[in-house]
């Protein structure tokens, strides 16, 4: 077996066992069967993890040491993802045409790669890799799929080896994958078993719920909830956020990663600006995607929102995205009112045609699960996110002195990954850690952190701007 990076329009060099790693027995099912579930890195118009960038070579792999055995096009690789996704009752894989569009024209804050595993002349496995270019640059999100007939012959392990090489070449220390399990499944299933066997640990569990459209309960639920929030106004819009709400709306979006339960999964919250939002909206519009948003306002101030997204390649199928109500405004049934109003707006635009709404909720998010069950959603499968951490590949540089006359410690002027670990909950006020060592990682590009270095109980996983003092 061999692994090749798929690049539409270009021949694909296929790397054999000496480059991508030897095939090993027992590597059958995928670590993350193809599909776009509750992606913790995507909200508010961002792109699900399917697509590819256009880089023609695989970093960390020497093409001269590989045997070029032919070309693997996107259709052949994507057919594997489609076949594996079809094994689920409600597959959510991005349609192939849309994936190719995203591959050729990725959104500004992501890049993608696609790999195929070839056995002879047959493609038996595929992987989509998602690289965030903004927050969470320590993460590589990998969706793996292996045909059922080719499992337990090393294809999954070979793909995972290529993914790990790609992560190391891009200085990413964490690989994140997902598995889907039927909600009523009895006994073990292959995806989680593969993940555990290859050193992944479960970090987050969510339930995949679906709602059949049309539904006749939205109007009654909205009327029942109305007396609890009479002082609030519900405002709906399609596509882009109106200018008069854009600043406050960005503020609400920025709360999602901080307040939505994510179990043990530690990710860096997105920083939403007007420019970032407008760029996401423009990219969505250029590719024919649709969106509906409903917000709740009190005294002219936005206090909650919910979103739905649709795609022209899959009419009648909608994805329920983020929903959030500010803490001080909860307990007034705004969550169910927002969702009911937004679903009514979306179904009216679809002329009440038959369809399905997909949503994902953390198993620990009992209030939102209760809201969705009232709306008529039913649970169809479980989604688990798995994480594997690798040590940084960069060598440690020699210690550097204080900048002359500076009362501050410089965090990492040599642009290298370092090993020491910050204490849990230590405020970033004078130096990065008490042992007078360099910080382990660089924070996101932007102003220096003045709050906590890392969340309680978590290892620091972000990066600080090159040369930025830790004040």
């Amino acid at each position: 077996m061999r692994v090749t990076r798929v690049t539409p329009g270009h021949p694909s060099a296929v790397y054999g066992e000496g480059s991508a790693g030897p095939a090993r027995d027992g590597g059958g099912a995928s670590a993350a069967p193809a599909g776009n579930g509750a992606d913790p890195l995507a909200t508010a118009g961002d792109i699900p993890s399917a697509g590819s960038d256009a880089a023609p070579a695989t970093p960390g792999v020497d093409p001269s040491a590989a045997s070029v055995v032919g070309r693997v096009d996107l259709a052949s690789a994507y057919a594997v993802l489609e076949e594996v996704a079809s094994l689920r009752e409600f597959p959510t894989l991005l349609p192939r045409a849309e994936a190719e569009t995203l591959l050729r024209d990725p959104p500004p804050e992501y890049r993608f790669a696609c790999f195929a595993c070839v056995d002879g002349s047959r493609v038996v496995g595929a992987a989509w890799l998602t690289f965030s270019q903004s927050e969470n640059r320590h993460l590589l999100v990998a969706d793996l799929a292996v045909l059922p007939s080719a499992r337990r012959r090393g294809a999954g392990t070979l793909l995972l080896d290529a993914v790990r090489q790609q992560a190391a070449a891009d200085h990413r220390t964490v690989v994140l994958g997902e598995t889907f399990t039927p909600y009523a499944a009895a006994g073990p299933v292959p995806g989680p078993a593969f993940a555990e066997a290859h050193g992944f640990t479960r970090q987050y569990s969510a339930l995949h719920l679906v709602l059949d459209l049309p539904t006749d309960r939205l109007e009654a639920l909205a009327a029942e909830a109305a007396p609890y929030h009479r002082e609030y106004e519900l405002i709906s819009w399609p596509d882009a956020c109106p200018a008069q709400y854009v600043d406050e709306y960005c503020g609400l979006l920025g709360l999602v990663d901080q307040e939505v339960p994510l179990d043990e999964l530690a990710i860096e919250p997105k920083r939403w600006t007007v420019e970032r939002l407008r760029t996401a909206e423009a990219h969505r519009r250029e590719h024919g995607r649709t969106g509906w948003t409903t917000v709740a306002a009190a005294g002219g101030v936005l206090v909650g929102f919910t979103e739905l997204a649709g795609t022209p390649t899959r009419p009648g199928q909608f994805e329920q995205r983020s929903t959030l109500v500010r803490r001080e405004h909860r307990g007034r049934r705004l969550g169910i009112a927002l969702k009911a109003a937004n679903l009514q707006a979306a179904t009216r635009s679809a002329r009440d045609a038959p369809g399905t709404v997909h949503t994902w909720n953390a198993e620990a998010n009992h209030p939102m699960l209760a809201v969705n069950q009232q709306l008529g959603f039913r649970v169809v499968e479980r989604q688990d996110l798995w994480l594997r951490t690798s040590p940084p590949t960069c060598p440690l540089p020699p210690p550097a002195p204080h900048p002359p006359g500076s009362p501050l410690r410089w965090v990492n002027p040599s642009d290298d990954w370092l090993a020491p670990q910050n204490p849990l909950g230590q405020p970033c006020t004078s130096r990065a850690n008490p042992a007078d060592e360099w910080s382990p990682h660089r924070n996101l590009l932007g102003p220096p952190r003045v709050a906590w270095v890392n969340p309680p109980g978590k290892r620091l996983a972000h990066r600080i701007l090159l040369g930025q003092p830790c004040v």
Side-chain angles (χ1 to χ4, degrees):
M1 291 187 186
R2 297 172 173 85
V3 171
T4 176
R5 179 165 181 159
V6 178
T7 306
H10 299 277
S12 297
V14 179
Y15 302 102
E17 291 82 357
S19 301
R24 292 188 284 271
D25 292 336
S30 64
N36 301 311
D39 180 2
L41 307 184
T43 56
D46 286 343
I47 308 304
S49 52
S52 172
D53 63 347
T58 304
V61 179
D62 179 11
S64 64
S67 56
V68 180
V69 298
R71 174 178 173 176
V72 177
D73 58 16
L74 178 64
S76 300
Y78 215 78
V80 173
L81 292 152
E82 290 171 329
E83 182 170 338
V84 172
S86 70
L87 301 176
R88 298 164 54 197
E89 181 183 4
F90 289 93
T92 51
L93 181 68
L94 205 64
R96 185 187 306 181
E98 189 168 353
E100 182 157 4
T101 299
L102 292 177
L103 183 147
R104 297 183 183 280
D105 181 23
E109 294 164 358
Y110 292 93
R111 62 183 175 88
F112 304 95
C114 178
F115 286 87
C117 183
V118 182
D119 186 7
S121 59
R122 181 187 178 212
V123 179
V124 297
W128 290 108
L129 277 57
T130 303
F131 304 81
S132 175
Q133 299 295 88
S134 187
E135 299 86 6
N136 298 294
R137 291 178 64 91
H138 64 296
L139 283 178
L140 187 157
V141 180
D143 295 336
L144 273 63
V146 176
L147 294 175
S149 60
R151 292 177 182 171
R152 304 202 62 80
R153 293 168 46 205
T157 300
L158 194 58
L159 278 168
L160 183 56
D161 287 344
V163 168
R164 293 176 59 198
Q165 285 194 12
Q166 184 71 35
D170 206 55
H171 304 293
R172 298 186 184 243
T173 57
V174 176
V175 175
L176 184 68
E178 63 184 352
T179 60
F180 296 97
T181 305
Y183 189 60
V189 291
F194 178 87
E196 290 177 341
H198 287 79
F200 285 80
T201 58
R202 184 186 284 110
Q203 299 288 304
Y204 170 78
S205 295
L207 298 177
H208 177 192
L209 300 89
V210 298
L211 172 67
D212 296 321
L213 297 176
T215 175
D216 58 2
R217 65 173 68 189
L218 298 178
E219 187 173 346
L221 286 171
E224 181 183 336
Y228 294 87
H229 53 264
R230 295 190 187 279
E231 67 273 29
Y232 294 83
E233 180 185 7
L234 300 184
I235 306 161
S236 299
W237 63 74
D239 192 31
C241 175
Q244 65 264 39
Y245 304 123
V246 68
D247 290 319
E248 291 184 51
Y249 185 54
C250 287
L252 288 173
L253 292 173
L255 293 175
V256 172
D257 290 338
Q258 301 177 43
E259 298 203 9
V260 172
L262 289 175
D263 297 344
E264 297 300 312
L265 183 64
I267 63 170
E268 185 178 349
K270 287 191 173 183
R271 305 180 311 282
W272 282 97
T273 63
V274 174
E275 180 182 6
R276 182 174 192 167
L277 176 63
R278 293 309 191 202
T279 300
E281 290 171 341
H283 192 273
R284 182 177 65 192
R285 193 163 47 247
E286 288 169 8
H287 294 284
R289 300 185 190 93
T290 50
W292 297 266
T293 303
T294 297
V295 298
V301 178
L302 301 191
V303 300
F305 79 100
T306 190
E307 306 167 309
L308 277 170
T311 174
T313 54
R314 190 172 286 162
Q317 183 162 305
F318 304 93
E319 182 182 338
Q320 169 67 61
R321 311 207 70 175
S322 302
T323 300
L324 181 133
V325 176
R326 289 187 180 273
R327 289 183 181 274
E328 60 270 27
H329 296 274
R330 295 175 187 172
R332 297 171 173 87
R333 302 197 182 180
L334 284 171
I336 197 164
L338 285 165
K339 284 198 165 188
N342 209 41
L343 283 166
Q344 286 177 303
T347 53
R348 279 196 299 269
S349 69
R351 296 181 176 84
D352 292 323
T356 305
V357 182
H358 297 261
T359 192
W360 290 261
N361 290 129
E363 286 189 290
N365 194 351
H366 302 298
M368 191 54 67
L369 283 170
V371 165
N372 284 327
Q373 287 168 353
Q374 281 185 274
L375 289 166
F377 283 88
R378 67 185 190 280
V379 180
V380 294
E381 65 183 352
R382 174 186 172 121
Q383 177 204 33
D384 292 306
L385 297 184
W386 301 80
L387 183 147
R388 173 171 171 155
T389 302
S390 300
T393 56
C394 296
L396 296 180
H402 280 282
S406 172
L408 304 172
R409 292 291 293 178
W410 292 94
V411 175
N412 194 7
S414 58
D415 199 22
D416 287 311
W417 291 89
L418 300 176
Q421 179 178 354
N422 275 0
L424 299 179
Q426 178 70 34
C428 184
T429 54
S430 60
R431 60 175 183 257
N433 51 10
D436 213 17
E437 305 280 357
W438 294 105
S439 171
H441 296 296
R442 294 165 289 165
N443 209 336
L444 66 157
L445 296 179
R449 282 186 178 267
V450 295
W452 298 103
V453 174
N454 52 356
K458 306 296 182 187
R459 182 180 175 87
L460 181 64
H462 306 315
R463 296 182 276 182
I464 295 179
L465 178 63
L466 176 63
Q468 181 68 46
C470 184
V471 299

